[in-house]
Amino acid sequence: MDSELNITYITLGGHVEMDKYRYLYFLMMFTVYFLIICSNSTIVYLIWIHQILHEPMYIFIAALLLNSLLISTAIYPKLLIDFLSEKQLISYSACLFQCFLYYSLNSSEFLLLAAMSYDRYVSICKPLQYQTIMKKTTVRIFLALAWFVPACQVALPVSLSANTKLCNFTLKGIFCNNSIYKLHCVSSRALTVYSVIVFFNVSILPVLFIIFTYTKIFIVTYQSRREVRMKAAQTCLPHLLVLISFSFLFTYDVVIVKLELELPKTIHFIMTLQVILYHPLFNPIIYGLKMKEIYNHIRRLFCQRKLHQHIKK
């Protein structure tokens, strides 16, 4: 606690062997963050500049990749600063803000995946009504809700925690997540119940909706020609892979928080790193390689660069 400025500081106590490996940690995470920025930004840029990709499916993909960039930017810059600092400190207000960004943006991912599954459902199961249903206005509403609804729901418990008395000032993690509530002197049962309701609204319900839409898609395609099944697989498989990956990591994050007192510090550190490493890199790889239109534009982009370099020589 800084009594002069009246600022409460939290120590991020989840780091391991910082004196020995700080530069290795920094180099590794800086490389990953650079790859996340480059890979996600490249696909977002391609979707933005090519008119042929201005369809709901690709707009949702761009929104999903942009969301990955925002999540990474909420975590990585602070993490990189901590690796080079003697003490890993963060003000309580900044910690709450990071926690808010992390969970609201992660929740937005589920809603964006749900919007993508609905787009595929309409495209495959109601092709004649697709242009009428998936208008630009509809897409904008889905995007606005995907970011606005989780932000509103996550903001309430975070704002209520702002004036809560703390009895512990060491967070057993490397960034601010749900562990922050364990710093409180008294745990609030109402806050716990509300958190479960929010979790159900922004993760369980979207997943159930996705399962429902893909079940309908599977039934329709199973009864259709082989060409229809192949086309459905090309567009739906990447979305399912991303959903499975993200659901696993989101559950993984919840489990880490619950088990943090039972795990050795090194194992907890490694598990926490995995939560923020894989998914932001997995998304652009899946959509870049599995979505034919995006893959073709990526290939043309790099072929043009090689051609320009060859001409300059």
Side-chain angles (χ1 to χ4, degrees):
M1 173 82 74
D2 189 327
S3 57
E4 293 182 7
L5 298 175
N6 198 28
I7 298 173
T8 302
Y9 286 99
I10 306 298
T11 300
L12 298 170
H15 296 277
V16 176
E17 299 281 359
M18 283 293 284
D19 293 334
K20 192 174 181 181
Y21 297 116
R22 69 170 68 248
Y23 296 110
L24 178 62
Y25 291 153
F26 178 85
L27 183 62
M28 181 182 74
M29 299 308 289
F30 179 81
T31 303
V32 170
Y33 187 43
F34 178 77
L35 290 173
I36 288 170
I37 292 173
C38 290
S39 57
N40 285 276
S41 298
T42 298
I43 297 179
V44 172
Y45 171 73
L46 289 172
I47 293 172
W48 179 50
I49 64 169
H50 292 290
Q51 193 68 33
I52 194 172
L53 298 179
H54 290 186
E55 296 178 10
M57 177 174 66
Y58 298 111
I59 292 172
F60 287 133
I61 289 173
L64 199 68
L65 299 182
L66 179 61
N67 202 65
S68 292
L69 278 172
L70 293 173
I71 294 172
S72 299
T73 303
I75 302 297
Y76 277 81
K78 172 58 180 164
L79 202 58
L80 293 172
I81 292 170
D82 285 340
F83 288 143
L84 298 180
S85 303
E86 289 298 320
K87 293 182 178 180
Q88 292 72 49
L89 298 174
I90 185 171
S91 69
Y92 182 56
S93 57
C95 195
L96 285 172
F97 184 61
Q98 187 181 59
C99 183
F100 163 74
L101 289 176
Y102 179 68
Y103 285 107
S104 64
L105 291 171
N106 272 301
S107 301
S108 295
E109 192 116 351
F110 279 115
L111 294 181
L112 288 170
L113 287 167
M116 293 167 75
S117 71
Y118 179 71
D119 173 70
R120 292 299 83 207
Y121 164 73
V122 176
S123 175
I124 294 168
C125 301
K126 300 181 179 181
L128 298 179
Q129 302 173 46
Y130 183 78
Q131 296 298 330
T132 305
I133 296 174
M134 295 305 295
K135 297 180 291 187
K136 288 183 179 180
T137 305
T138 307
V139 173
R140 288 175 187 144
I141 291 171
F142 282 166
L143 291 176
L145 289 175
W147 276 303
F148 182 73
V149 171
C152 290
Q153 296 200 25
V154 175
L156 181 59
V158 171
S159 60
L160 289 175
S161 300
N163 297 317
T164 304
K165 186 180 179 182
L166 304 183
C167 286
N168 186 6
F169 299 92
T170 300
L171 192 73
K172 295 184 179 180
I174 59 176
F175 64 91
C176 298
N177 55 13
N178 271 336
S179 299
I180 199 170
Y181 298 118
K182 295 187 177 182
L183 304 179
H184 298 169
C185 295
V186 180
S187 59
S188 170
R189 182 173 295 180
L191 194 61
T192 302
V193 171
Y194 180 79
S195 297
V196 171
I197 294 171
V198 171
F199 178 76
F200 183 79
N201 287 343
V202 298
S203 59
I204 303 298
L205 279 180
V207 169
L208 291 175
F209 177 76
I210 292 167
I211 292 171
F212 169 76
T213 54
Y214 277 105
T215 302
K216 297 284 285 184
I217 289 170
F218 176 77
I219 293 170
V220 170
T221 53
Y222 183 76
Q223 298 170 346
S224 304
R225 303 187 310 274
R226 185 174 180 274
E227 293 79 8
V228 176
R229 291 199 296 269
M230 289 294 292
K231 184 178 179 182
Q234 286 177 354
T235 58
C236 293
L237 183 61
H239 302 158
L240 285 174
L241 289 173
V242 169
L243 173 66
I244 292 167
S245 166
F246 184 68
S247 298
F248 174 76
L249 288 173
F250 195 78
T251 305
Y252 192 60
D253 176 66
V254 173
V255 170
I256 288 172
V257 174
K258 295 297 182 185
L259 297 181
E260 68 176 17
L261 297 177
E262 303 169 21
L263 290 172
K265 190 176 180 180
T266 303
I267 294 176
H268 186 261
F269 177 67
I270 294 170
M271 290 176 71
T272 306
L273 280 178
Q274 291 182 63
V275 171
I276 58 174
L277 276 173
Y278 297 137
H279 192 66
L281 286 174
F282 184 69
N283 278 1
I285 290 172
I286 287 296
Y287 289 120
L289 295 179
K290 292 294 184 181
M291 301 297 286
K292 187 177 178 181
E293 283 291 339
I294 295 176
Y295 175 73
N296 288 339
H297 284 293
I298 291 174
R299 191 173 58 182
R300 289 191 199 109
L301 178 66
F302 286 102
C303 287
Q304 286 175 358
R305 286 183 177 178
K306 287 181 180 179
L307 181 61
H308 288 315
Q309 289 174 356
H310 181 73
I311 291 171
K312 285 180 180 180
K313 291 180 180 179

